[in-house]
Amino acid sequence: DAGVIQSPRHEVTEMGQEVTLRCKPISGHDYLFWYRQTMMRGLELLIYFNNNVPIDDSGMPEDRFSAKMPNASFSTLKIQPSEPRDSAVYFCASSRSGKGAYEQYFGPGTRLTVT
Amino acid sequence: AQSVTQLDSHVSVSEGTPVLLRCNYSSSYSPSLFWYVQHPNKGLQLLLKYTSAATLVKGINGFEAEFKKSETSFHLTKPSAHMSDAAEYFCVVSGFYGGSQGNLIFGKGTKLSVKP
């Protein structure tokens, strides 16, 4: 399996621009998670989906952030308009429900820089 | 509610000496516990997981962790550190909502430095 795929790997944009981050989970996984990692705040859960439905979006910082999962193999995280404080590494992770420990598998991350 | 506390933000060892990274957890349920590793500028990789099958869990790269319910601990150890072990390590507990799968609760991380 290719693992969790994220694109782009790096994104540099100017303040006020729209940014879209993309994620393809591992095939067969029914949970998808979006995280943000910064030096100041560490790793934060933004939102997660089960079977394409958002379950908990309490970590989304504000209305400028939105996430969608139109099908089982694709999700987007959008920031509009972007601000310098959004600069961070954004990770997508997926997991499979059922018996087991529900470990999550992480993508390589998207490093976002907003100038 | 579930929570996890990593007792050291930074641990420094010499190559070839033992590694001990400490983690305490709090959980209302029988927890699933994990250790993840993150090398610089990389994503998070699962090191090992505890699911109540055995209290001593072996992971990749020679790491292991022992679940101690009486101490609510899940410390990560390795007998002999290697330079390539230098990374940040996260202790993680599963967060269950009403018996269904939920998110993972991450500790703040322990940065491991290995001196030659």
Side-chain angles (χ1 to χ4, degrees):
Chain A
D1 201 315
V4 176
I5 298 172
Q6 292 186 248
S7 65
R9 294 292 309 278
H10 301 272
E11 177 80 39
V12 180
T13 191
E14 292 184 348
M15 183 174 64
Q17 297 299 305
E18 178 180 295
V19 175
T20 300
L21 311 181
R22 297 172 175 80
C23 175
K24 177 178 168 55
I26 292 173
S27 178
H29 283 192
D30 54 343
Y31 279 82
L32 184 138
F33 304 80
W34 282 100
Y35 292 88
R36 177 172 69 175
Q37 187 178 41
T38 61
M39 290 289 290
M40 291 294 293
R41 300 174 69 93
L43 194 66
E44 304 173 275
L45 176 67
L46 300 178
I47 185 172
Y48 75 96
F49 296 82
N50 178 219
N51 291 323
N52 314 336
V53 176
I55 302 300
D56 184 353
D57 65 353
S58 59
M60 296 286 262
E62 47 198 278
D63 292 346
R64 298 185 297 107
F65 285 69
S66 62
K68 293 182 179 179
M69 192 164 186
N71 58 62
S73 58
F74 183 65
S75 177
T76 59
L77 178 67
K78 187 175 293 187
I79 308 173
Q80 165 64 14
S82 58
E83 296 183 2
R85 59 192 168 122
D86 302 330
S87 297
V89 181
Y90 291 81
F91 289 104
C92 177
S94 69
S95 69
R96 184 177 59 193
S97 62
K99 271 191 172 181
Y102 312 131
E103 63 265 31
Q104 294 177 16
Y105 295 87
F106 282 75
T110 295
R111 183 174 296 276
L112 173 65
T113 303
V114 183
T115 61
Chain B
Q2 286 73 34
S3 68
V4 64
T5 302
Q6 293 185 244
L7 299 166
D8 307 291
S9 59
H10 193 187
V11 170
S12 182
V13 301
S14 297
E15 189 174 22
T17 64
V19 175
L20 170 63
L21 305 183
R22 299 183 295 165
C23 173
N24 287 112
Y25 70 91
S26 173
S27 177
S28 305
Y29 307 91
S30 295
S32 290
L33 293 157
F34 312 81
W35 276 97
Y36 280 81
V37 60
Q38 185 179 28
H39 288 93
N41 300 312
K42 300 287 187 184
L44 283 82
Q45 180 185 16
L46 180 67
L47 260 185
L48 51 80
K49 62 184 180 183
Y50 165 76
T51 60
S52 76
T55 56
L56 184 62
V57 182
K58 294 188 184 301
I60 60 173
N61 301 333
F63 284 93
E64 60 183 38
E66 186 171 9
F67 173 74
K68 291 187 177 180
K69 187 175 181 179
S70 60
E71 298 176 11
T72 61
S73 69
F74 190 58
H75 301 334
L76 182 70
T77 60
K78 182 174 181 178
S80 176
H82 191 272
M83 295 297 292
S84 61
D85 295 328
E88 188 152 24
Y89 293 79
F90 295 90
C91 182
V92 183
V93 64
S94 59
F96 287 87
Y97 299 101
S100 62
Q101 177 179 349
N103 58 309
L104 298 182
I105 313 297
F106 282 78
K108 294 193 179 301
T110 298
K111 190 168 185 179
L112 176 65
S113 300
V114 183
K115 298 174 288 188

